[in-house]
Coordinates of all heavy atoms in Angstrom, one line a residue:
K1 N -29.8 0.4 13.7 CA -29.4 0.3 12.3 C -28.8 1.5 11.7 O -27.7 1.4 11.1 CB -30.7 -0.1 11.5 CG -30.2 -0.3 9.9 CD -31.5 -0.9 9.2 CE -31.2 -1.1 7.7 NZ -30.0 -1.6 7.3
P2 N -29.3 2.7 11.9 CA -28.6 3.9 11.5 C -27.2 4.1 12.1 O -26.3 4.6 11.4 CB -29.5 5.1 11.8 CG -30.9 4.4 12.1 CD -30.7 3.0 12.4
D3 N -27.1 3.8 13.4 CA -25.7 3.9 14.0 C -24.8 2.8 13.4 O -23.6 3.2 13.3 CB -25.9 3.7 15.5 CG -26.7 4.7 16.1 OD1 -26.6 5.9 15.9 OD2 -27.6 4.4 16.9
I4 N -25.3 1.6 13.0 CA -24.3 0.8 12.4 C -23.9 1.2 11.1 O -22.7 1.0 10.7 CB -25.0 -0.7 12.3 CG1 -25.4 -1.2 13.6 CG2 -24.3 -1.6 11.4 CD1 -26.4 -2.4 13.6
E5 N -24.7 1.8 10.4 CA -24.4 2.4 9.1 C -23.5 3.6 9.3 O -22.5 3.7 8.6 CB -25.6 2.9 8.3 CG -26.5 1.7 7.8 CD -27.9 2.0 7.4 OE1 -28.3 3.2 7.4 OE2 -28.5 1.2 7.0
R6 N -23.6 4.4 10.3 CA -22.6 5.4 10.6 C -21.3 4.9 11.0 O -20.3 5.4 10.7 CB -23.2 6.3 11.8 CG -22.4 7.5 12.1 CD -23.1 8.6 13.0 NE -23.7 8.1 14.3 CZ -23.2 8.4 15.4 NH1 -22.1 9.2 15.4 NH2 -23.7 7.9 16.5
A7 N -21.2 3.8 11.8 CA -20.0 3.2 12.1 C -19.2 2.7 10.9 O -18.1 2.8 10.7 CB -20.3 1.9 13.1
A8 N -20.1 2.1 10.0 CA -19.3 1.7 8.7 C -18.8 2.9 7.9 O -17.6 2.8 7.3 CB -20.5 1.0 7.7
R9 N -19.5 4.0 7.8 CA -18.9 5.1 7.2 C -17.6 5.6 8.0 O -16.7 6.1 7.4 CB -20.1 6.2 7.2 CG -21.2 6.1 6.1 CD -22.0 7.2 5.8 NE -22.6 7.7 7.1 CZ -23.7 7.3 7.6 NH1 -24.4 6.3 7.0 NH2 -24.3 7.9 8.7
W10 N -17.7 5.6 9.3 CA -16.6 6.1 10.0 C -15.4 5.3 9.8 O -14.3 5.7 9.5 CB -16.9 6.0 11.5 CG -15.8 6.5 12.5 CD1 -15.8 7.8 13.0 CD2 -14.6 5.9 12.9 NE1 -14.8 7.9 13.8 CE2 -13.9 6.8 13.8 CE3 -14.0 4.7 12.7 CZ2 -12.8 6.6 14.5 CZ3 -12.9 4.4 13.3 CH2 -12.2 5.3 14.2
V11 N -15.6 3.8 9.6 CA -14.4 3.0 9.4 C -13.9 3.2 7.9 O -12.8 3.4 7.6 CB -14.8 1.5 9.4 CG1 -13.8 0.5 8.9 CG2 -15.1 1.1 10.9
A12 N -14.8 3.4 7.0 CA -14.5 3.8 5.6 C -13.7 5.0 5.6 O -12.6 5.1 4.9 CB -15.7 3.7 4.7
D13 N -14.1 6.1 6.2 CA -13.4 7.4 6.2 C -12.1 7.2 6.8 O -11.0 7.9 6.2 CB -14.2 8.3 7.0 CG -15.5 8.7 6.2 OD1 -15.7 8.5 5.1 OD2 -16.4 9.4 6.9
H14 N -11.8 6.4 7.9 CA -10.6 6.3 8.3 C -9.6 5.4 7.6 O -8.5 5.6 7.6 CB -10.8 5.9 9.9 CG -11.1 7.0 10.8 ND1 -12.4 7.6 10.9 CD2 -10.4 7.7 11.7 CE1 -12.4 8.5 11.8 NE2 -11.2 8.6 12.2
L15 N -10.2 4.5 6.9 CA -9.3 3.7 6.0 C -8.8 4.6 4.9 O -7.7 4.5 4.5 CB -10.1 2.6 5.5 CG -10.3 1.4 6.4 CD1 -11.3 0.4 5.9 CD2 -9.0 0.7 6.7
R16 N -9.7 5.4 4.4 CA -9.3 6.4 3.4 C -8.2 7.4 3.8 O -7.2 7.5 3.1 CB -10.5 7.3 2.8 CG -11.4 6.5 1.9 CD -12.5 7.5 1.3 NE -13.5 6.6 0.8 CZ -14.7 6.3 1.4 NH1 -14.9 6.6 2.6 NH2 -15.6 5.5 0.8
S17 N -8.3 7.8 5.1 CA -7.4 8.7 5.5 C -6.0 8.0 5.9 O -5.0 8.5 6.0 CB -8.0 9.4 6.8 OG -7.9 8.7 7.8
A18 N -6.1 6.7 6.0 CA -4.8 5.9 6.2 C -4.2 5.6 4.9 O -3.2 4.9 4.9 CB -5.2 4.6 7.0
G19 N -4.9 5.8 3.8 CA -4.2 5.7 2.5 C -4.9 4.7 1.5 O -4.3 4.5 0.4
F20 N -5.9 4.1 2.1 CA -6.7 3.2 1.2 C -7.3 4.1 0.1 O -8.0 5.1 0.5 CB -7.7 2.3 1.9 CG -7.1 1.2 2.6 CD1 -6.5 1.4 3.8 CD2 -6.9 -0.1 2.0 CE1 -5.9 0.3 4.7 CE2 -6.4 -1.1 2.8 CZ -5.9 -1.0 4.0
Q21 N -7.1 3.7 -1.1 CA -7.8 4.7 -2.2 C -9.1 4.4 -2.6 O -9.9 5.2 -3.2 CB -6.8 4.8 -3.4 CG -5.4 5.3 -2.9 CD -4.5 5.5 -4.2 OE1 -4.8 5.1 -5.3 NE2 -3.3 6.0 -3.8
S22 N -9.6 3.2 -2.5 CA -10.9 2.8 -2.9 C -11.5 1.8 -1.8 O -11.2 0.8 -1.4 CB -10.8 2.0 -4.1 OG -12.1 1.6 -4.7
I23 N -12.6 2.4 -1.1 CA -13.3 1.8 -0.2 C -14.8 1.6 -0.7 O -15.4 2.7 -1.1 CB -13.4 2.5 1.1 CG1 -11.9 2.9 1.5 CG2 -14.1 1.9 2.2 CD1 -11.1 1.7 2.0
E24 N -15.4 0.5 -0.4 CA -16.8 0.3 -0.8 C -17.5 -0.1 0.4 O -17.1 -1.1 1.2 CB -17.0 -0.6 -2.0 CG -18.4 -0.8 -2.3 CD -18.6 -1.9 -3.5 OE1 -17.6 -2.1 -4.2 OE2 -19.7 -2.1 -3.9
I25 N -18.7 0.5 0.6 CA -19.6 0.0 1.8 C -20.7 -0.7 0.9 O -21.4 -0.3 0.3 CB -20.2 1.1 2.5 CG1 -19.1 2.0 3.3 CG2 -21.1 0.7 3.6 CD1 -19.5 3.3 4.0
V26 N -20.7 -2.1 1.3 CA -21.6 -3.1 0.6 C -22.8 -3.3 1.7 O -22.5 -3.8 2.6 CB -20.9 -4.3 0.3 CG1 -21.7 -5.3 -0.4 CG2 -19.5 -4.1 -0.5
P27 N -23.9 -3.0 1.0 CA -25.0 -3.3 1.8 C -25.3 -4.8 1.8 O -25.1 -5.5 0.9 CB -26.3 -2.5 1.1 CG -25.8 -2.1 -0.2 CD -24.2 -2.2 -0.2
T28 N -25.8 -5.4 2.9 CA -26.1 -6.8 3.1 C -27.4 -7.0 3.6 O -28.2 -5.9 4.0 CB -25.0 -7.6 3.9 OG1 -25.1 -7.3 5.3 CG2 -23.6 -7.3 3.3
A29 N -28.0 -8.2 3.8 CA -29.2 -8.3 4.4 C -29.2 -7.9 5.8 O -30.3 -7.6 6.4 CB -29.7 -9.9 4.3
L30 N -28.1 -7.9 6.5 CA -28.1 -7.7 7.9 C -27.3 -6.3 8.1 O -27.9 -5.3 8.5 CB -27.4 -8.7 8.7 CG -28.1 -10.0 8.8 CD1 -27.3 -11.0 9.5 CD2 -29.5 -9.8 9.5
H31 N -26.0 -6.3 7.9 CA -25.2 -5.1 8.2 C -24.3 -4.7 7.1 O -23.9 -5.7 6.4 CB -24.3 -5.4 9.5 CG -25.2 -6.0 10.6 ND1 -26.2 -5.2 11.3 CD2 -25.1 -7.0 11.3 CE1 -26.8 -5.9 12.2 NE2 -26.1 -7.0 12.3
P32 N -23.9 -3.5 7.0 CA -23.1 -3.2 5.9 C -21.6 -3.8 6.0 O -21.2 -4.0 7.1 CB -23.0 -1.6 5.9 CG -23.4 -1.3 7.3 CD -24.3 -2.4 7.8
L33 N -21.0 -4.0 4.9 CA -19.6 -4.5 4.9 C -18.7 -3.4 4.3 O -19.0 -2.9 3.2 CB -19.6 -5.7 4.0 CG -18.3 -6.3 3.7 CD1 -17.7 -7.0 4.9 CD2 -18.4 -7.4 2.5
V34 N -17.6 -3.1 5.1 CA -16.7 -2.2 4.6 C -15.6 -3.0 3.9 O -14.9 -3.8 4.5 CB -16.2 -1.4 5.7 CG1 -15.0 -0.4 5.2 CG2 -17.2 -0.6 6.5
Y35 N -15.5 -2.7 2.7 CA -14.6 -3.4 1.8 C -13.5 -2.7 1.2 O -13.9 -1.8 0.3 CB -15.4 -4.1 0.7 CG -14.4 -5.2 -0.1 CD1 -14.2 -6.4 0.4 CD2 -13.9 -4.8 -1.3 CE1 -13.4 -7.3 -0.3 CE2 -13.0 -5.6 -2.0 CZ -12.9 -6.9 -1.5 OH -12.0 -7.8 -2.2
P36 N -12.2 -2.6 1.6 CA -11.1 -1.8 1.0 C -10.7 -2.6 -0.3 O -10.3 -3.8 -0.2 CB -10.1 -1.8 2.0 CG -10.3 -3.0 3.0 CD -11.7 -3.3 2.7

C-alpha cells in the first residue's frame, strides 16, 4: 500500500513536469487515483 501511494506520487510529479498544472491524488477505498 505505501508503494502504491508512492507510485501515485511519482506519476503526479511526472505529469506536473510534463506541463500539467493541476494534479490531484484522490484517495479511494482501494488505490489512489491520479487525476490531472
Side-chain angles (χ1 to χ4, degrees):
K1 184 173 174 42
D3 297 312
I4 294 166
E5 293 167 355
R6 183 164 60 110
R9 287 191 305 274
W10 189 97
V11 170
D13 291 344
H14 280 76
L15 285 171
R16 283 186 196 98
S17 71
F20 285 84
Q21 295 183 357
S22 183
I23 306 292
E24 184 176 347
I25 299 176
V26 180
T28 70
L30 293 174
H31 310 299
L33 170 70
V34 179
Y35 188 83

